Amino acid sequence: MSATAQPSNDEPSKEQRLKSFLEKKAADGEVYFKSKFIADEVGLSPKEIGALMVKLKDSAQDLHVEKWSYTSATTWRVEAA
């Protein structure tokens, strides 16, 4: 038995959960958000969301992700591609 737990194939990864959430929110048009305000809905910490947004910005083919502004926290703009 290994010391690290392997994720179940039945459960989506953190990135998949976030991407699915964003696809639903952006289905009707663009959406703006701060990580701290969606953290509970997605089940991730704001820090995890921020790191995943940077990945999704480069890898998501069906979403257009843009770092919109930075005041007290980064605001992200997402729309369907």
Coordinates of all heavy atoms in Angstrom, one line a residue:
M1 N 0.8 -1.2 0.0 CA 0.0 0.0 0.0 C 0.9 1.2 0.0 O 1.9 1.3 0.7 CB -0.9 0.0 1.2 CG -1.9 1.2 1.3 SD -2.9 1.2 2.8 CE -4.3 0.3 2.2
S2 N 0.6 2.2 -0.8 CA 1.4 3.4 -0.9 C 1.0 4.4 0.2 O -0.1 4.4 0.7 CB 1.3 4.0 -2.3 OG 0.2 4.9 -2.4
A3 N 2.0 5.3 0.5 CA 1.7 6.3 1.5 C 0.8 7.4 1.0 O 0.3 8.1 1.8 CB 3.1 6.8 2.0
T4 N 0.7 7.6 -0.3 CA -0.1 8.7 -0.8 C -1.4 8.1 -1.3 O -1.5 7.0 -1.9 CB 0.6 9.4 -2.0 OG1 0.9 8.4 -3.0 CG2 1.8 10.1 -1.5
A5 N -2.5 8.8 -1.0 CA -3.8 8.3 -1.5 C -4.0 8.7 -2.9 O -3.7 9.7 -3.4 CB -4.9 9.0 -0.6
Q6 N -4.5 7.7 -3.7 CA -4.8 7.9 -5.1 C -6.3 8.4 -5.2 O -7.2 7.7 -4.6 CB -4.6 6.6 -5.9 CG -3.2 6.2 -5.9 CD -2.2 7.2 -6.5 OE1 -2.6 7.7 -7.6 NE2 -1.1 7.4 -6.0
P7 N -6.6 9.4 -6.0 CA -8.0 9.8 -6.2 C -8.8 8.7 -6.9 O -8.2 8.0 -7.8 CB -7.8 11.1 -7.0 CG -6.5 11.0 -7.7 CD -5.6 10.2 -6.8
S8 N -10.0 8.7 -6.6 CA -10.9 7.7 -7.2 C -11.2 8.2 -8.6 O -11.3 9.3 -8.9 CB -12.2 7.6 -6.4 OG -13.2 7.0 -7.2
N9 N -11.3 7.2 -9.5 CA -11.6 7.5 -10.9 C -13.1 8.0 -11.1 O -13.4 8.6 -12.1 CB -11.4 6.3 -11.8 CG -10.0 6.0 -12.0 OD1 -9.1 6.8 -11.7 ND2 -9.7 4.8 -12.4
D10 N -13.9 7.8 -10.1 CA -15.3 8.2 -10.1 C -15.5 9.7 -9.8 O -16.4 10.3 -10.3 CB -16.1 7.4 -9.1 CG -16.2 5.9 -9.5 OD1 -15.9 5.6 -10.6 OD2 -16.5 5.1 -8.6
E11 N -14.5 10.3 -9.1 CA -14.7 11.7 -8.7 C -13.8 12.6 -9.6 O -12.7 12.2 -10.0 CB -14.2 11.9 -7.3 CG -15.1 11.2 -6.3 CD -14.8 11.7 -4.9 OE1 -14.3 12.8 -4.7 OE2 -15.1 11.0 -3.9
P12 N -14.4 13.7 -10.0 CA -13.7 14.6 -10.9 C -12.5 15.3 -10.2 O -12.6 15.5 -8.9 CB -14.7 15.6 -11.4 CG -15.8 15.6 -10.3 CD -15.8 14.2 -9.8
S13 N -11.5 15.6 -10.9 CA -10.4 16.3 -10.3 C -10.8 17.7 -9.9 O -11.9 18.2 -10.3 CB -9.2 16.4 -11.3 OG -9.5 17.3 -12.3
K14 N -10.0 18.4 -9.1 CA -10.3 19.8 -8.7 C -10.4 20.7 -10.0 O -11.3 21.5 -10.0 CB -9.2 20.3 -7.8 CG -9.1 19.7 -6.5 CD -8.0 20.2 -5.6 CE -7.9 19.5 -4.3 NZ -6.8 20.0 -3.5
E15 N -9.5 20.5 -10.9 CA -9.6 21.3 -12.1 C -10.9 21.0 -12.9 O -11.5 21.9 -13.4 CB -8.4 21.0 -13.0 CG -8.2 21.9 -14.2 CD -7.0 21.7 -15.0 OE1 -6.1 21.0 -14.5 OE2 -6.8 22.3 -16.1
Q16 N -11.3 19.7 -13.0 CA -12.5 19.4 -13.7 C -13.7 20.0 -13.0 O -14.6 20.5 -13.7 CB -12.6 17.9 -13.8 CG -11.6 17.2 -14.7 CD -11.6 15.7 -14.6 OE1 -11.9 15.2 -13.6 NE2 -11.3 15.1 -15.7
R17 N -13.7 20.0 -11.7 CA -14.9 20.5 -10.9 C -15.0 22.0 -11.2 O -16.1 22.5 -11.4 CB -14.7 20.3 -9.4 CG -15.1 19.0 -8.9 CD -15.2 18.9 -7.4 NE -14.5 19.8 -6.6 CZ -13.6 19.4 -5.7 NH1 -13.4 18.2 -5.4 NH2 -13.0 20.3 -5.0
L18 N -13.8 22.7 -11.1 CA -13.9 24.2 -11.4 C -14.3 24.5 -12.8 O -15.1 25.4 -13.1 CB -12.5 24.8 -11.1 CG -12.3 26.3 -11.3 CD1 -13.3 27.0 -10.4 CD2 -10.9 26.7 -11.0
K19 N -13.7 23.7 -13.8 CA -14.1 24.0 -15.2 C -15.5 23.7 -15.4 O -16.2 24.5 -16.1 CB -13.2 23.1 -16.1 CG -13.4 23.3 -17.5 CD -12.5 22.4 -18.4 CE -12.8 22.7 -19.8 NZ -12.6 21.6 -20.7
S20 N -16.1 22.7 -14.9 CA -17.5 22.4 -15.0 C -18.4 23.5 -14.4 O -19.3 24.0 -15.0 CB -17.8 21.1 -14.4 OG -19.2 20.8 -14.4
F21 N -18.0 24.0 -13.3 CA -18.7 25.1 -12.6 C -18.7 26.3 -13.5 O -19.7 27.0 -13.7 CB -18.0 25.4 -11.2 CG -18.6 26.6 -10.5 CD1 -19.7 26.5 -9.8 CD2 -18.0 27.8 -10.6 CE1 -20.2 27.6 -9.1 CE2 -18.4 28.9 -10.0 CZ -19.6 28.8 -9.2
L22 N -17.5 26.7 -14.0 CA -17.4 27.9 -14.9 C -18.1 27.7 -16.2 O -18.7 28.7 -16.7 CB -15.9 28.1 -15.1 CG -15.1 28.5 -13.9 CD1 -13.6 28.6 -14.3 CD2 -15.6 29.8 -13.3
E23 N -18.1 26.5 -16.8 CA -18.9 26.3 -18.0 C -20.4 26.6 -17.8 O -21.0 27.2 -18.6 CB -18.7 24.9 -18.5 CG -17.3 24.7 -19.1 CD -17.0 23.2 -19.4 OE1 -17.7 22.3 -18.9 OE2 -16.1 23.0 -20.2
K24 N -20.9 26.1 -16.6 CA -22.3 26.4 -16.3 C -22.6 27.8 -16.1 O -23.6 28.4 -16.6 CB -22.7 25.6 -15.1 CG -22.8 24.1 -15.3 CD -23.1 23.4 -14.0 CE -22.9 21.9 -14.2 NZ -23.0 21.2 -12.9
K25 N -21.7 28.5 -15.4 CA -21.9 29.9 -15.1 C -21.8 30.8 -16.3 O -22.5 31.8 -16.5 CB -20.9 30.4 -14.0 CG -21.2 29.9 -12.7 CD -22.4 30.4 -12.1 CE -22.6 30.0 -10.6 NZ -23.8 30.6 -10.0
A26 N -20.9 30.4 -17.3 CA -20.6 31.2 -18.5 C -21.5 30.8 -19.6 O -21.4 31.4 -20.7 CB -19.2 31.1 -18.8
A27 N -22.4 29.8 -19.5 CA -23.3 29.4 -20.6 C -24.1 30.5 -21.1 O -24.4 30.5 -22.3 CB -24.1 28.2 -20.1
D28 N -24.6 31.4 -20.3 CA -25.5 32.5 -20.7 C -24.7 33.7 -21.1 O -25.4 34.8 -21.3 CB -26.6 32.7 -19.7 CG -27.5 31.5 -19.5 OD1 -27.7 30.8 -20.5 OD2 -28.0 31.3 -18.4
G29 N -23.4 33.7 -21.0 CA -22.6 34.9 -21.3 C -21.5 35.0 -20.3 O -21.2 34.0 -19.6
E30 N -20.8 36.1 -20.3 CA -19.6 36.3 -19.5 C -20.0 36.3 -18.0 O -21.1 36.7 -17.6 CB -18.8 37.5 -19.9 CG -19.6 38.8 -19.7 CD -18.9 40.0 -20.3 OE1 -18.0 39.8 -21.1 OE2 -19.3 41.1 -20.0
V31 N -19.0 35.9 -17.2 CA -19.2 36.0 -15.7 C -17.9 36.5 -15.1 O -16.8 36.3 -15.6 CB -19.5 34.6 -15.2 CG1 -18.4 33.6 -15.4 CG2 -19.9 34.6 -13.7
Y32 N -18.1 37.3 -14.1 CA -17.0 37.9 -13.3 C -17.1 37.4 -11.9 O -18.1 37.3 -11.4 CB -17.1 39.4 -13.3 CG -16.9 40.1 -14.6 CD1 -18.1 40.2 -15.5 CD2 -15.7 40.6 -15.1 CE1 -18.0 40.8 -16.7 CE2 -15.6 41.2 -16.3 CZ -16.7 41.3 -17.1 OH -16.6 41.9 -18.4
F33 N -15.9 37.1 -11.3 CA -15.9 36.6 -10.0 C -14.6 36.7 -9.3 O -13.6 36.8 -10.0 CB -16.4 35.1 -9.9 CG -15.4 34.2 -10.5 CD1 -14.4 33.6 -9.7 CD2 -15.4 33.9 -11.8 CE1 -13.5 32.7 -10.2 CE2 -14.4 33.0 -12.4 CZ -13.5 32.4 -11.6
K34 N -14.6 36.7 -8.0 CA -13.4 36.6 -7.2 C -13.4 35.2 -6.5 O -14.5 34.7 -6.1 CB -13.4 37.6 -6.1 CG -13.2 39.0 -6.6 CD -13.1 40.1 -5.5 CE -13.1 41.4 -6.2 NZ -12.0 42.2 -5.8
S35 N -12.3 34.6 -6.5 CA -12.1 33.2 -6.0 C -12.8 33.0 -4.6 O -13.4 32.0 -4.4 CB -10.7 32.8 -5.9 OG -10.1 32.9 -7.2
K36 N -12.6 34.0 -3.7 CA -13.1 33.8 -2.4 C -14.7 33.7 -2.3 O -15.2 33.2 -1.4 CB -12.6 35.0 -1.5 CG -13.1 36.3 -1.9 CD -12.5 37.4 -0.9 CE -12.9 38.8 -1.4 NZ -12.2 39.8 -0.5
F37 N -15.3 34.2 -3.4 CA -16.8 34.2 -3.4 C -17.4 33.0 -4.0 O -18.6 32.7 -3.8 CB -17.3 35.5 -4.1 CG -17.0 36.7 -3.4 CD1 -16.4 37.8 -4.1 CD2 -17.2 36.9 -2.0 CE1 -16.1 39.0 -3.5 CE2 -16.9 38.1 -1.4 CZ -16.3 39.1 -2.1
I38 N -16.6 32.2 -4.7 CA -17.1 30.9 -5.2 C -16.5 29.7 -4.5 O -16.8 28.6 -4.9 CB -16.9 30.8 -6.8 CG1 -15.4 30.7 -7.1 CG2 -17.6 32.0 -7.5 CD1 -15.2 30.2 -8.5
A39 N -15.6 29.9 -3.6 CA -14.8 28.8 -3.0 C -15.8 27.7 -2.4 O -15.6 26.5 -2.6 CB -13.9 29.3 -1.9
D40 N -16.8 28.2 -1.7 CA -17.7 27.2 -1.0 C -18.5 26.4 -2.1 O -18.7 25.2 -1.9 CB -18.6 27.9 -0.1 CG -18.0 28.4 1.2 OD1 -16.9 27.8 1.5 OD2 -18.5 29.3 1.9
E41 N -18.9 27.1 -3.1 CA -19.7 26.4 -4.2 C -18.9 25.3 -4.9 O -19.5 24.3 -5.3 CB -20.2 27.4 -5.2 CG -21.3 28.3 -4.7 CD -21.8 29.3 -5.8 OE1 -22.5 28.8 -6.7 OE2 -21.4 30.5 -5.7
V42 N -17.6 25.6 -5.1 CA -16.8 24.7 -5.8 C -16.1 23.6 -4.9 O -15.7 22.6 -5.3 CB -15.7 25.5 -6.6 CG1 -14.8 24.6 -7.4 CG2 -16.4 26.5 -7.5
G43 N -16.1 24.0 -3.6 CA -15.4 23.1 -2.7 C -13.9 23.1 -2.7 O -13.2 22.2 -2.4
L44 N -13.4 24.3 -3.0 CA -11.9 24.5 -3.1 C -11.6 25.8 -2.3 O -12.5 26.7 -2.1 CB -11.5 24.7 -4.5 CG -11.7 23.6 -5.5 CD1 -11.4 24.0 -6.9 CD2 -10.9 22.4 -5.1
S45 N -10.4 26.0 -1.9 CA -9.9 27.2 -1.2 C -9.7 28.3 -2.3 O -9.5 28.0 -3.5 CB -8.6 27.0 -0.5 OG -7.5 26.8 -1.4
P46 N -9.8 29.5 -1.9 CA -9.5 30.6 -2.9 C -8.1 30.5 -3.5 O -8.0 30.8 -4.7 CB -9.7 31.9 -2.1 CG -10.6 31.5 -1.0 CD -10.3 30.1 -0.6
K47 N -7.2 30.0 -2.7 CA -5.8 29.9 -3.3 C -5.8 28.8 -4.3 O -5.1 28.9 -5.4 CB -4.9 29.5 -2.1 CG -3.4 29.6 -2.5 CD -2.6 29.4 -1.2 CE -1.1 29.5 -1.6 NZ -0.3 29.5 -0.4
E48 N -6.5 27.7 -4.1 CA -6.5 26.6 -5.1 C -7.2 27.1 -6.4 O -6.7 26.8 -7.5 CB -7.3 25.4 -4.5 CG -6.6 24.6 -3.5 CD -7.5 23.5 -2.9 OE1 -8.6 23.8 -2.5 OE2 -7.0 22.4 -2.8
I49 N -8.3 27.8 -6.2 CA -9.0 28.3 -7.4 C -8.1 29.3 -8.2 O -8.0 29.1 -9.4 CB -10.3 29.1 -7.0 CG1 -11.3 28.1 -6.4 CG2 -10.9 29.8 -8.2 CD1 -12.5 28.7 -5.7
G50 N -7.4 30.1 -7.5 CA -6.4 31.0 -8.2 C -5.4 30.3 -9.0 O -5.1 30.6 -10.2
A51 N -4.8 29.2 -8.4 CA -3.8 28.5 -9.1 C -4.4 27.7 -10.3 O -3.8 27.7 -11.4 CB -3.2 27.5 -8.2
L52 N -5.6 27.2 -10.1 CA -6.3 26.5 -11.2 C -6.7 27.4 -12.3 O -6.7 27.0 -13.5 CB -7.5 25.7 -10.7 CG -7.1 24.5 -9.8 CD1 -8.3 23.9 -9.2 CD2 -6.4 23.4 -10.6
M53 N -7.1 28.6 -12.0 CA -7.5 29.6 -13.0 C -6.3 29.9 -14.0 O -6.6 30.0 -15.2 CB -8.0 30.9 -12.4 CG -9.4 30.7 -11.7 SD -10.7 30.1 -12.8 CE -10.8 31.5 -13.9
V54 N -5.1 30.0 -13.5 CA -4.0 30.2 -14.3 C -3.8 29.0 -15.3 O -3.5 29.2 -16.5 CB -2.7 30.4 -13.4 CG1 -1.5 30.5 -14.3 CG2 -2.8 31.7 -12.6
K55 N -4.0 27.8 -14.8 CA -3.9 26.6 -15.6 C -5.0 26.6 -16.7 O -4.8 26.4 -17.9 CB -4.1 25.3 -14.8 CG -2.9 24.9 -14.1 CD -3.2 23.7 -13.3 CE -2.1 22.7 -13.2 NZ -2.4 21.5 -12.4
L56 N -6.2 26.9 -16.3 CA -7.4 26.9 -17.2 C -7.2 28.0 -18.3 O -7.7 27.8 -19.4 CB -8.7 27.1 -16.4 CG -9.2 25.9 -15.6 CD1 -10.4 26.3 -14.8 CD2 -9.5 24.7 -16.6
K57 N -6.6 29.1 -17.9 CA -6.4 30.2 -18.9 C -5.6 29.7 -20.1 O -5.9 30.1 -21.2 CB -5.6 31.3 -18.2 CG -5.4 32.5 -19.0 CD -4.7 33.6 -18.3 CE -4.5 34.8 -19.1 NZ -3.8 35.9 -18.5
D58 N -4.7 28.8 -19.9 CA -3.9 28.2 -21.0 C -4.4 27.0 -21.6 O -4.1 26.7 -22.7 CB -2.5 28.0 -20.5 CG -1.8 29.3 -20.0 OD1 -2.1 30.3 -20.6 OD2 -0.9 29.2 -19.1
S59 N -5.2 26.2 -20.8 CA -5.6 24.9 -21.3 C -7.0 24.7 -21.7 O -7.3 23.8 -22.5 CB -5.2 23.8 -20.2 OG -6.1 24.0 -19.1
A60 N -7.9 25.5 -21.2 CA -9.3 25.3 -21.5 C -9.7 25.8 -22.9 O -9.5 26.9 -23.2 CB -10.2 26.0 -20.5
Q61 N -10.1 24.8 -23.8 CA -10.4 25.1 -25.2 C -11.8 25.8 -25.3 O -12.0 26.6 -26.2 CB -10.3 23.9 -26.0 CG -9.0 23.2 -26.0 CD -7.9 24.0 -26.7 OE1 -8.1 24.7 -27.7 NE2 -6.7 24.0 -26.1
D62 N -12.7 25.4 -24.4 CA -14.1 25.9 -24.6 C -14.4 27.1 -23.6 O -15.5 27.5 -23.6 CB -15.0 24.8 -24.3 CG -14.7 24.0 -23.1 OD1 -13.6 24.1 -22.5 OD2 -15.6 23.1 -22.7
L63 N -13.4 27.6 -22.9 CA -13.6 28.8 -22.1 C -12.5 29.8 -22.4 O -11.4 29.5 -22.7 CB -13.4 28.4 -20.6 CG -14.5 27.6 -20.0 CD1 -14.1 27.2 -18.6 CD2 -15.9 28.3 -20.0
H64 N -12.9 31.1 -22.4 CA -12.0 32.2 -22.5 C -11.8 32.8 -21.1 O -12.8 33.3 -20.5 CB -12.5 33.3 -23.5 CG -11.6 34.4 -23.6 ND1 -10.4 34.4 -24.2 CD2 -11.8 35.7 -23.1 CE1 -9.8 35.6 -24.1 NE2 -10.6 36.4 -23.4
V65 N -10.6 32.7 -20.5 CA -10.4 33.1 -19.1 C -9.4 34.3 -19.2 O -8.4 34.2 -19.8 CB -9.7 31.9 -18.3 CG1 -9.4 32.4 -16.9 CG2 -10.6 30.7 -18.3
E66 N -9.8 35.3 -18.5 CA -9.0 36.5 -18.4 C -8.9 37.1 -17.0 O -9.9 37.1 -16.3 CB -9.7 37.6 -19.3 CG -9.0 38.9 -19.5 CD -9.7 39.8 -20.4 OE1 -10.7 39.5 -21.0 OE2 -9.3 41.0 -20.5
K67 N -7.7 37.4 -16.7 CA -7.4 38.1 -15.4 C -7.9 39.5 -15.6 O -7.3 40.3 -16.3 CB -6.0 38.0 -15.0 CG -5.7 38.3 -13.6 CD -4.2 38.0 -13.3 CE -3.9 37.9 -11.9 NZ -2.5 37.6 -11.6
W68 N -9.0 39.9 -14.9 CA -9.7 41.1 -15.2 C -9.1 42.3 -14.5 O -8.8 43.3 -15.0 CB -11.2 41.0 -15.0 CG -12.0 42.1 -15.5 CD1 -12.6 43.1 -14.7 CD2 -12.3 42.5 -16.8 NE1 -13.2 44.0 -15.5 CE2 -13.0 43.6 -16.8 CE3 -11.9 42.0 -18.1 CZ2 -13.5 44.3 -18.0 CZ3 -12.4 42.6 -19.2 CH2 -13.1 43.7 -19.1
S69 N -9.1 42.2 -13.2 CA -8.5 43.3 -12.4 C -8.0 42.8 -11.0 O -8.3 41.7 -10.6 CB -9.6 44.4 -12.1 OG -10.6 43.9 -11.2
Y70 N -7.3 43.6 -10.4 CA -6.8 43.2 -9.0 C -7.0 44.4 -8.1 O -6.5 45.5 -8.3 CB -5.3 42.8 -9.1 CG -4.8 42.3 -7.7 CD1 -4.9 41.0 -7.4 CD2 -4.3 43.2 -6.8 CE1 -4.5 40.5 -6.2 CE2 -3.9 42.7 -5.6 CZ -4.0 41.4 -5.3 OH -3.7 40.9 -4.0
T71 N -7.9 44.2 -7.1 CA -8.0 45.2 -6.1 C -7.6 44.6 -4.8 O -6.4 44.5 -4.5 CB -9.5 45.7 -6.0 OG1 -10.4 44.6 -6.0 CG2 -9.8 46.6 -7.3
S72 N -8.5 44.1 -4.0 CA -8.2 43.4 -2.8 C -8.0 41.9 -3.1 O -7.4 41.1 -2.3 CB -9.3 43.5 -1.7 OG -10.5 43.0 -2.2
A73 N -8.4 41.5 -4.3 CA -8.2 40.1 -4.8 C -8.4 40.1 -6.3 O -9.1 41.0 -6.8 CB -9.2 39.1 -4.1
T74 N -7.9 39.1 -7.0 CA -8.0 39.1 -8.4 C -9.5 38.8 -8.8 O -10.2 38.0 -8.2 CB -7.2 37.9 -9.0 OG1 -5.8 38.2 -8.6 CG2 -7.3 37.9 -10.5
T75 N -9.9 39.6 -9.8 CA -11.2 39.3 -10.4 C -11.0 38.7 -11.7 O -10.1 39.1 -12.5 CB -12.0 40.7 -10.6 OG1 -12.2 41.3 -9.4 CG2 -13.4 40.4 -11.3
W76 N -11.7 37.6 -12.0 CA -11.6 36.8 -13.2 C -12.8 37.0 -14.1 O -13.9 37.1 -13.6 CB -11.4 35.3 -12.9 CG -10.2 35.0 -12.1 CD1 -10.1 34.8 -10.8 CD2 -8.9 34.7 -12.7 NE1 -8.8 34.5 -10.4 CE2 -8.0 34.4 -11.6 CE3 -8.4 34.7 -14.0 CZ2 -6.7 34.1 -11.8 CZ3 -7.1 34.4 -14.2 CH2 -6.2 34.1 -13.1
R77 N -12.5 37.1 -15.4 CA -13.6 37.2 -16.4 C -13.6 35.9 -17.2 O -12.5 35.5 -17.7 CB -13.4 38.4 -17.3 CG -14.5 38.5 -18.3 CD -14.1 39.7 -19.3 NE -15.0 39.7 -20.4 CZ -14.8 39.1 -21.5 NH1 -13.7 38.3 -21.7 NH2 -15.6 39.2 -22.5
V78 N -14.7 35.2 -17.2 CA -14.8 34.0 -18.0 C -16.0 34.0 -18.9 O -17.1 34.5 -18.5 CB -15.0 32.8 -17.0 CG1 -15.1 31.5 -17.8 CG2 -13.8 32.7 -16.0
E79 N -15.8 33.5 -20.2 CA -16.9 33.4 -21.1 C -16.7 32.2 -21.9 O -15.5 31.7 -22.1 CB -17.0 34.6 -22.0 CG -15.9 34.8 -23.0 CD -16.1 36.1 -23.9 OE1 -17.2 36.5 -24.1 OE2 -15.1 36.6 -24.4
A80 N -17.8 31.6 -22.5 CA -17.7 30.5 -23.3 C -16.9 30.9 -24.6 O -17.1 32.0 -25.2 CB -19.0 29.9 -23.7
A81 N -16.1 30.0 -25.1 CA -15.3 30.3 -26.3 C -16.1 30.0 -27.5 O -17.0 29.3 -27.6 CB -14.0 29.4 -26.3

